Amino acid sequence: MNEPQVHVGILFEPQIAFELLAPYHINGQEVSGTQVVSYDNGSILWNGALYQELLFTPLTDATSSFELFDVTIGINFHWERKENQRFLGSLKFIVEHEKLTGINVIGVEDYLTSVISSEMSAKASLELLKAHAVISRSWLLDKLNITKQPDGKTEVRPSAPTFYVTDSEFIKWYECDAHIHFDVCADDHCQRYQGITRASTPLAAEATSSTRGEVIMSDGNVCDARFSKCCGGAFEEFASCWATVSHSYLQKKRDSQTNTELPDLRIESEADRWIRTSPEAFCNTTDKQVLAQVLNNYDQETTDFYRWKVTYEQAALSKLIFERSGIDYGQIIDLIPVERGVSGRLIKLKIVGSKRTMTIGKELEIRRTLSASHLYSSAFVIDKVDTVEGVPGQFILTGAGWGHGVGLCQIGAAVMGEQGYAYDEILLHYYIGATIDKLY
C-alpha cells in the first residue's frame, strides 16, 4: 500500500485568518499572502465570493507552508491558550455547525513528525521518539480503518453508542468518531498536532523515517494504540475508559520490569493502599531532564502527577459539579467509589447530594465533572473532613497518574529510553503480546 493522507481538523471559528507563506493554487488561481475566510449564511465568504468548500493546494508540497492565526490549544485544560501555528500540505475549509472548519490535508509521515514533536519534546531520546512514531501511526491508521486484510479489503467497524443514561446513572465515554468531515482533530481529544510550529529536530525526523510504515499489530489488525502521560504505576484496560471491548494488548500490568506483582486494584482497600503510597514504577520519576524530554513547556506547568492531591471546599465543589454536569445535587454529602478498573481508576462514581443522587462514569466523565478543566486522572481516593450535621466541609482527593492509563505511558517510556531500552522493547512492554509490522 502507499502512504495515506490524513485530514486534520485544526480550527473551528466563524472567521479564520491565515497566511499562505508560499504560492498556493485554488480554482485555477495562484494566491499567497494574508487571507480571511468568513461564515456567511451557510457558505464560505472569501474575496467577495461565496463557496461551499475551499481547497488551497501548494505548488511545492515539500516546502510550501501556511500559518493559521489564533488556534486554540489545550481545549478545556487548565493551560488552554491561543497561538499562531504553521503547517505543511494543503488547507481546506468547510462549513460545520454555523462555523468554518480549517482542515490540514497532509501525508501520514509528515503528520507523525509533528505529532511526536507536539505530544512530547522533540529533544526526547531517539528510542522514545521511534516508539511514539510507531504508536501514533498505529492509532491513526486504526482510526482510518487501514488494516492488513488477506483479501485486501478495508475493514469498516460499525460505530457504537458512547453513552447511556437512566434515572440513577449517567455513563459516557469520548471517542474521535464524533468527527464526521475529517479524520482526526489536532488537540488532546485525538493526538496533539501543531504542524511545524514546534520545530522538529533531526532526531524527530529520523524517528519517523527510520520507522516508516511500521505499526503494532495483533491478530492481523493494526492496534488501537492508546497512550497517556502517566499511568501511575499500573496499566488500565480499554473497556474501563471506552466501549466494553477487550483488546488483548491493552491489559492489566505493572509499569516495571523488576517488580511485576500488582495487587487487585479493583478492590477498594487495595486501591486505597496503592494510591496513598508511591510504588516503584518506570513512571515514578522526578528527573527533570527526563521530564523535559517528554513534556513541552506548557505541560511542565503540571507537577506531582505520579501522586497528587486536590482539596475542595463544600460550596466550591457543589457549584463546580452543577456547572460541569448541569445537575443540581445541592450540597455534596458523599462521593462513593462504585467500580474501579485494574489500575485503580474509577469507572463509576456515585455523587450523593442533598437534592439528587447519581452514579456517573466513565473515567473522563468523572474527571470532567470534578474539575474546571480535567482532573489529572480518575484513580483517586476520597477523604471527607469538617463534617457538620452530615455535610462535609471539605473533600480531599488523593490521586495517581495523569490521563486514562491505557497503553503506552509516555513518562514511563521516556524513562525506559533513558535506561537503554530499544524502541521495540518499549512498545512490547506496553502493548502485551503485540507484534511490530511494516504496512508500507
Side-chain angles (χ1 to χ4, degrees):
M1 63 178 287
N2 296 322
E3 176 189 349
Q5 284 195 320
V6 58
H7 290 63
V8 190
I10 308 291
L11 190 58
F12 317 91
E13 298 290 346
Q15 180 172 288
I16 299 174
F18 60 100
E19 183 178 2
L20 302 173
L21 301 169
Y24 274 65
H25 269 157
I26 181 168
N27 299 332
Q29 305 176 52
E30 184 177 311
V31 295
S32 61
T34 301
Q35 312 288 328
V36 177
V37 291
S38 304
Y39 175 81
D40 188 335
N41 195 30
S43 299
I44 305 167
L45 175 64
W46 176 63
N47 280 358
L50 295 176
Y51 303 86
Q52 290 302 304
E53 180 178 298
L54 288 173
L55 177 63
F56 297 85
T57 58
L59 289 179
T60 307
D61 290 340
T63 59
S64 298
S65 65
F66 60 89
E67 182 166 331
L68 290 173
F69 302 141
D70 293 329
V71 178
T72 302
I73 64 171
I75 297 172
N76 292 327
F77 282 84
H78 58 283
W79 45 265
E80 180 178 316
R81 67 198 65 180
K82 290 182 179 291
E83 66 176 21
N84 297 342
Q85 294 186 343
R86 292 190 177 189
F87 301 90
L88 298 173
S90 299
L91 175 59
K92 182 179 180 180
F93 292 103
I94 62 171
V95 176
E96 282 190 310
H97 312 299
E98 298 186 348
K99 290 184 178 181
L100 301 184
T101 297
I103 299 170
N104 184 198
V105 184
I106 191 168
V108 164
E109 298 301 313
D110 283 336
Y111 165 82
L112 290 171
T113 301
S114 170
V115 165
I116 63 174
S117 302
S118 303
E119 280 285 348
M120 304 176 297
S121 165
K123 298 177 182 177
S125 70
L126 177 59
E127 296 307 304
L128 172 60
L129 292 173
K130 288 165 69 175
H132 217 296
V134 174
I135 65 170
S136 293
R137 185 184 294 110
S138 302
W139 181 88
L140 176 65
L141 295 185
D142 174 72
K143 294 295 157 287
L144 297 177
N145 291 321
I146 303 294
T147 62
K148 203 172 186 179
Q149 298 295 322
D151 59 6
K153 294 180 179 179
T154 298
E155 176 193 21
V156 180
R157 291 180 293 277
S159 59
T162 58
F163 71 94
Y164 61 89
V165 60
T166 68
D167 289 341
S168 60
E169 285 194 334
F170 180 82
I171 309 299
K172 181 176 177 62
W173 55 97
Y174 296 81
E175 279 286 12
C176 71
D177 54 9
H179 305 319
I180 298 173
H181 301 114
F182 50 89
D183 299 317
V184 292
C185 69
D187 211 57
D188 292 74
H189 178 263
C190 292
Q191 295 187 118
R192 277 189 203 168
Y193 169 68
Q194 294 164 356
I196 54 175
T197 310
R198 303 263 183 296
S200 60
T201 64
L203 209 59
E206 180 184 348
T208 305
S209 62
S210 65
T211 64
R212 178 179 173 82
E214 286 188 11
V215 294
I216 50 175
M217 300 192 73
S218 180
D219 297 325
N221 292 317
V222 179
C223 291
D224 187 350
R226 305 294 169 118
F227 57 91
S228 64
K229 278 287 181 285
C230 176
C231 69
F235 307 169
E236 190 49 76
E237 294 178 333
F238 181 92
S240 297
C241 304
W242 300 286
T244 308
V245 175
S246 178
H247 292 305
S248 61
Y249 50 88
L250 298 176
Q251 299 292 334
K252 169 183 175 179
K253 187 178 179 181
R254 184 162 175 171
D255 190 22
S256 173
Q257 294 281 33
T258 57
N259 190 343
T260 57
E261 292 185 6
L262 184 64
D264 189 347
L265 301 178
R266 297 171 297 180
I267 300 171
E268 193 61 32
S269 59
E270 295 289 356
D272 189 282
R273 185 179 302 110
W274 174 265
I275 291 170
R276 292 188 193 276
T277 56
S278 186
E280 181 272 332
F282 283 124
C283 59
N284 185 359
T285 181
T286 56
D287 188 326
K288 291 183 178 180
Q289 182 176 350
V290 171
L291 296 178
Q293 293 179 10
V294 180
L295 306 178
N296 281 313
N297 55 348
Y298 41 80
D299 279 333
Q300 292 181 46
E301 296 169 15
T302 301
T303 59
D304 301 328
F305 45 80
Y306 186 72
R307 292 296 183 268
W308 48 265
K309 187 171 290 188
V310 177
T311 300
Y312 295 110
E313 301 295 330
Q314 169 65 236
L317 181 61
S318 176
K319 179 182 178 184
L320 173 67
I321 292 176
F322 173 66
E323 290 176 346
R324 297 295 284 168
S325 69
I327 298 173
D328 184 4
Y329 288 88
Q331 291 181 303
I332 306 302
I333 308 303
D334 209 350
L335 299 174
I336 303 173
V338 175
E339 182 182 353
R340 291 187 184 271
V342 295
S343 72
R345 282 168 170 78
L346 284 165
I347 302 172
K348 293 183 179 182
L349 174 72
K350 180 182 286 188
I351 303 175
V352 180
S354 59
K355 295 181 179 180
R356 179 79 180 271
T357 295
M358 178 76 78
T359 296
I360 65 170
K362 294 183 176 184
E363 66 90 29
L364 185 53
E365 183 64 20
I366 294 170
R367 293 164 60 198
R368 287 165 59 93
T369 301
L370 296 180
S371 174
S373 56
H374 288 62
L375 200 65
Y376 294 151
S377 85
S378 70
F380 59 82
V381 291
I382 304 136
D383 293 302
K384 298 174 292 182
V385 296
D386 300 331
T387 299
V388 178
E389 296 182 353
V391 179
Q394 279 187 340
F395 286 84
I396 302 172
L397 308 187
T398 301
W402 181 2
H404 51 66
V406 179
L408 182 134
C409 169
Q410 290 175 311
I411 292 172
V415 172
M416 291 185 73
E418 285 299 299
Q419 291 182 0
Y421 288 89
Y423 82 102
D424 56 343
E425 295 176 299
I426 295 172
L427 291 170
L428 299 183
H429 169 67
Y430 289 105
Y431 302 97
I432 301 162
T435 59
I436 301 172
D437 203 354
K438 192 175 183 71
L439 283 187
Y440 56 85

